Amino acid sequence: VKIRIAAPITKRNIKIARDIGKIAEVRHLENPKARFCIVDDNELIFMVMDDKDVHPTYDVGIWINTPYFASAMGNLFNIAWKNMKDVNAATKGL
C-alpha cells in the first residue's frame, strides 16, 4: 500500500507528521483549499465544507466510485506532489 499525505506542517503538528511519516509519505502543502482522498484511482472521498468554518461533528464528505474523475484528480495530485517539500525539508526552521 502506498499512502501519500499532503497537509500543512506547522510547529503544532510536526511531531505527528513525523510519526505518520513512518508509514506514509508526508509532504508540506502550504495553503490547502480542498480535503479529499483518492483510493486506487477508482474512488474519491471529498469534503464539501471548509474545516475552519464548520464544527467537526457537522462536516460532510461524499464518497463516490468514479474511475474517470478519481484518475483525473490523481493526475492533478501527482503534479502538485512533485513541488511539495518533504517533512524534513519543510521543517528545517521550526
Side-chain angles (χ1 to χ4, degrees):
V1 174
K2 183 177 181 181
I3 302 170
R4 296 186 301 169
I5 300 170
I9 300 171
T10 65
K11 288 181 182 180
R12 290 181 59 192
N13 66 14
I14 190 170
K15 183 181 179 332
I16 294 168
R18 287 185 175 146
D19 286 345
I20 291 172
K22 295 173 186 174
I23 60 168
E25 286 184 72
V26 179
R27 292 197 182 175
H28 175 66
L29 181 59
E30 187 70 34
N31 191 13
K33 292 293 183 186
R35 295 178 298 139
F36 60 91
C37 177
I38 303 165
V39 181
D40 298 331
D41 279 346
N42 287 311
E43 298 176 52
L44 178 68
I45 303 166
F46 60 94
M47 302 338 148
V48 297
M49 300 179 159
D50 189 337
D51 61 342
K52 293 177 185 170
D53 298 332
V54 66
H55 189 275
T57 59
Y58 291 105
D59 204 358
V60 175
I62 299 171
W63 184 349
I64 55 176
N65 185 352
T66 172
Y68 176 74
F69 188 53
S71 178
M73 288 291 292
N75 288 334
L76 292 172
F77 181 80
N78 289 334
I79 291 167
W81 183 260
K82 292 177 186 177
N83 295 318
M84 293 179 210
K85 295 179 181 177
D86 68 16
V87 173
N88 295 326
T91 58
K92 280 187 179 176
L94 296 181

